[in-house]
């Protein structure tokens, strides 16, 4: 009887998966004619509490600012936008629950899912089952190939970030790297795997790759292993408080080893608590982060349109990486609705899949087999100087020849 119960569960799971992955057209949405003339509702599930709260608060603030800007300008096709934000508390189960509640509300046209990668990955099957467009505010590699027809990613995938960082290593003569990554976390694991794959092709040696407990407060063992590996630098794949602690402990115990981070730390919520230890840390970030150093042109114009009011409302502080993700998520939904001339879920999905549009985070070229959209030209390599993110000479050179257009 036990085996029979397992079989029944497996059959039900398979049926749901097949239903969610069925083909779709612009007529498969559930919005009514009345909804087409009313407000456009967008859902958002992000961590506003818990260890990844710095990510979600940036997403939320940027999305709210952009919605206010859109509504002040007349809305989308004359319709006002309503944003419903839910806190997933940096908890996978809570994220799925909040996502499903939003998806069950037929007035919700699209959902921006969590900046906590493990949570967004867990909600992706629900997007297919409920047939609602989902734009992940975290980099999820498994969504990139379009096999889940309803799920798209907003930030560059770990593969893109890893390739950009390895390209930097190769260009600057770095031959050996250690990796510390958040164990049990989708972002950490896929980042580690992607870096190893890119490094292997580029001839950069991975002297160590070691998982760490993202709830820990002492990383002495990891640092000792990095020192023993003789690596030239440590690349950290993770988010939340752990990278701050690692940065401080590396500065105290291994000051001669270069520390590298990812866009998850491209925020004052990393540099402020890390303090002097963050000085000189190099990281891969969204190209929008060092916006002050970008050359004049369409990309900078789009970024400045968001950055200027953000700084006015935030004591002159530049937006963090996560803010650009939240902003771009809203703008992608807007672009899809305008292209489809409809807030129907299926119509939005179809329009997203054919978008080729310049956004503040780079040029998105979605297709049926590419739900990631961005390439390495959307990534900048920045260094922390005086608490600010400054483009490296390497990236300044890239801006001259390889800027998204």
């Amino acid at each position: 009887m036990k085996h029979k119960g397992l079989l029944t569960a497996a059959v039900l799971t398979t049926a749901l998966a097949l239903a969610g992955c069925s083909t779709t057209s612009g007529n498969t949405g559930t919005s009514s004619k009345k909804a087409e003339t009313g407000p456009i509702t967008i859902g958002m599930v992000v961590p506003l509490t818990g260890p990844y709260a710095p990510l979600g608060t940036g997403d939320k603030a940027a999305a709210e600012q952009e919605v206010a800007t859109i509504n002040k300008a007349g809305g989308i096709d004359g319709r006002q936008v309503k944003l419903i934000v839910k806190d997933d508390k940096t908890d996978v189960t809570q994220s799925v629950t909040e996502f499903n509640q939003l998806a069950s509300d037929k007035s919700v046209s699209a959902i921006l899912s969590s900046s906590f990668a493990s949570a967004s990955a867990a909600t992706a099957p629900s997007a297919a089952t409920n047939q609602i467009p989902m734009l992940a505010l975290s980099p999820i590699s498994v969504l990139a190939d379009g096999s889940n027809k309803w799920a798209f990613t907003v930030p560059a995938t770990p593969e893109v970030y890893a390739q950009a960082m390895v390209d930097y290593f190769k260009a600057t003569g770095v031959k050996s790297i250690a990796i510390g990554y958040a164990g049990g976390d989708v972002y950490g694991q896929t980042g580690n795997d992607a870096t190893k794959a890119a490094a292997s092709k580029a001839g950069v040696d991975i002297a160590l790759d070691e998982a760490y407990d993202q709830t820990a407060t002492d990383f002495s063992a990891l640092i000792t292993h990095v020192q023993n590996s003789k690596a030239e630098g440590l690349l950290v794949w993770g988010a939340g408080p752990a990278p701050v602690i690692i940065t401080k402990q590396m500065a105290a115990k291994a000051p001669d080893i270069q520390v590298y981070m990812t866009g998850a730390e491209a925020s004052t919520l990393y540099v402020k608590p890390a303090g002097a230890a963050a000085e000189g840390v190099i990281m891969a970030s969204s190209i929008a982060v060092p916006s002050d150093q970008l050359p004049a042109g369409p990309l900078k114009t789009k970024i400045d349109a968001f950055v200027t009011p953000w700084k006015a409302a935030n004591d002159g502080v530049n937006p963090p990486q996560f803010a650009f993700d939240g902003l771009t998520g809203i703008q992608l939904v807007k672009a899809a609705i305008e292209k489809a001339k409809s807030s129907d879920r299926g119509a939005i999905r179809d329009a997203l899949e054919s978008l080729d549009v310049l956004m503040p985070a780079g040029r998105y070229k979605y297709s049926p087999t590419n739900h990631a959209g961005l390439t390495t030209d959307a990534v900048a390599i920045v260094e922390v100087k005086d608490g600010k993110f400054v483009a490296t000479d390497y990236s300044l050179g890239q801006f001259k020849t390889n800027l998204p257009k």
Side-chain angles (χ1 to χ4, degrees):
M1 292 300 292
K2 181 178 180 180
H3 292 295
K4 182 177 179 181
L6 290 172
L7 180 60
T8 302
V11 169
L12 287 172
T13 301
T14 302
L16 284 172
L18 289 173
C21 294
S22 61
T23 58
T24 179
S25 69
N27 294 322
T28 59
T30 55
S31 297
S32 67
K33 184 176 181 180
K34 182 178 179 181
E36 289 286 306
T37 60
I40 296 170
T41 303
I42 301 172
M44 183 182 214
V45 182
V46 287
L48 301 178
T49 53
Y52 283 13
L55 283 67
T57 52
D59 288 319
K60 175 178 180 287
E64 289 176 338
Q65 177 181 305
E66 184 61 13
V67 167
T69 298
I70 291 170
N71 286 339
K72 185 176 180 180
I76 301 176
D77 291 336
R79 299 166 61 192
Q80 293 288 286
V81 178
K82 176 182 178 182
L83 180 67
I84 301 177
V85 183
K86 300 290 186 179
D87 178 15
D88 69 15
K89 303 177 182 179
T90 319
D91 180 81
V92 171
T93 301
Q94 184 70 25
S95 199
V96 172
T97 298
E98 298 292 356
F99 186 97
N100 285 339
Q101 288 179 352
L102 285 171
S104 67
D105 181 348
K106 300 307 180 183
S107 72
V108 178
S109 295
I111 301 176
L112 308 185
S113 67
S114 187
S115 39
F116 176 27
S118 294
S120 255
T123 58
S126 295
T129 301
N130 288 283
Q131 295 196 337
I132 186 167
M134 163 184 147
L135 288 95
L137 297 177
S138 49
I140 308 176
S141 301
V142 294
L143 302 181
D145 64 2
S147 55
N148 183 328
K149 295 179 180 297
W150 292 88
F152 300 77
T153 64
V154 176
T157 62
E159 286 78 8
V160 171
Y161 273 110
Q163 186 62 60
M165 185 59 87
V166 169
D167 288 347
Y168 171 77
F169 293 153
K170 190 72 173 178
T172 55
V174 176
K175 295 180 172 59
S176 178
I177 285 293
I179 304 172
Y181 64 96
D185 176 66
V186 169
Y187 180 67
Q189 184 64 63
T190 54
N192 175 60
D193 294 343
T195 305
K196 290 195 296 181
S200 176
K201 293 179 181 179
V204 175
D205 179 51
I206 300 299
L208 171 77
D209 66 303
E210 183 172 317
Y212 64 77
D213 179 357
Q214 56 190 326
T215 65
T217 57
D218 183 0
F219 297 93
S220 298
L222 171 64
I223 294 170
T224 298
H225 297 160
V226 172
Q227 291 173 308
N228 292 340
S229 75
K230 306 300 182 183
E232 297 172 59
L234 168 65
L235 172 61
V236 178
W237 279 95
V244 173
I245 301 171
I246 291 172
T247 299
K248 288 183 173 182
Q249 293 180 356
M250 282 291 292
K253 299 174 183 293
D256 295 332
I257 298 177
Q258 176 66 51
V259 176
Y260 300 96
M261 293 281 171
T262 68
E265 283 69 58
S267 166
T268 54
L269 296 174
Y270 163 75
V271 294
K272 282 187 176 181
E279 290 296 305
V281 169
I282 294 171
M283 64 182 68
S285 76
S286 166
I287 197 168
V289 169
S291 60
D292 293 345
Q293 296 176 274
L294 290 173
L299 179 65
K300 184 170 174 56
T301 297
K302 286 182 175 292
I303 295 172
D304 287 348
F306 170 72
V307 170
T308 300
W310 174 280
K311 291 173 71 172
N314 292 276
D315 299 323
V317 177
N318 277 325
Q321 166 101 22
F322 328 117
F324 290 109
D325 297 336
L327 160 72
T328 303
I330 295 294
Q331 290 193 349
L332 285 167
V333 175
K334 177 177 182 286
I337 292 172
E338 289 175 336
K339 182 172 185 177
K341 300 186 184 304
S342 173
S343 60
D344 174 90
R345 292 178 176 185
I348 293 173
R349 192 220 74 85
D350 289 352
L352 281 169
E353 201 168 70
S354 61
L355 281 183
D356 181 350
V357 60
L358 183 66
M359 293 283 172
R363 178 161 287 278
Y364 286 80
K365 294 183 179 181
Y366 289 135
S367 74
T369 57
N370 181 4
H371 282 201
L374 295 177
T375 58
T376 53
D377 66 359
V379 178
I381 307 299
V382 300
E383 181 177 354
V384 180
K385 291 184 177 181
D386 297 325
K388 298 180 180 180
F389 302 104
V390 179
T392 58
D393 289 341
Y394 169 82
S395 276
L396 289 175
Q398 293 287 303
F399 294 165
K400 296 177 181 178
T401 60
N402 194 35
L403 204 66
K405 297 178 180 178

